[in-house]
Amino acid sequence: NALKEIVTCFDNENVGAATSSMTVYKPRTILEHIQSAEYLIGVLLRHILASVNGLYVTPGPFSLYRTSAILTVGGFRKGYNTEDMEMALRMQKAG
């Protein structure tokens, strides 16, 4: 149902990208616990930034982009390890 829920964000023509709140289901290994903590911190950060009208970078997992928004800013650029951050900043700059 996640895809059905997230695509409704794009009903608003001003939305160029959307991301979901990710969780690790019943983490067992140390790596899963670390990833779970990372996702929880991301959710907290998103709420904090939203309260001050800040920019939240769309992280890699389950982020969706409006094709026209990506094309408007010239598409994803090769050679970046942080393409999600770079794309979010160019989209923000372009409005």
Side-chain angles (χ1 to χ4, degrees):
N1 293 332
L3 185 57
K4 288 179 183 178
E5 290 186 33
I6 199 167
V7 296
T8 61
C9 295
F10 294 96
D11 290 343
N12 180 337
E13 291 293 323
N14 293 321
V15 172
T19 190
S20 62
S21 295
M22 300 294 291
T23 60
V24 178
Y25 180 71
K26 296 185 180 180
R28 294 176 306 279
T29 67
I30 186 69
L31 184 58
E32 290 172 349
H33 282 284
I34 291 170
Q35 188 174 29
S36 180
E38 176 190 4
Y39 289 160
L40 288 173
I41 291 168
V43 171
L44 176 64
L45 181 60
R46 181 171 27 184
H47 287 285
I48 291 169
L49 288 172
S51 71
V52 295
N53 199 27
L55 173 65
Y56 181 77
V57 175
T58 50
F62 209 68
S63 292
L64 283 87
Y65 297 87
R66 184 181 300 275
T67 303
S68 60
I70 292 174
L71 296 175
T72 297
V73 298
F76 283 96
R77 296 181 179 160
K78 295 181 182 185
Y80 288 98
N81 289 329
T82 56
E83 72 282 345
D84 49 357
M85 180 181 296
E86 193 266 338
M87 177 56 73
L89 293 174
R90 284 195 290 135
M91 289 174 68
Q92 179 71 13
K93 184 177 180 182

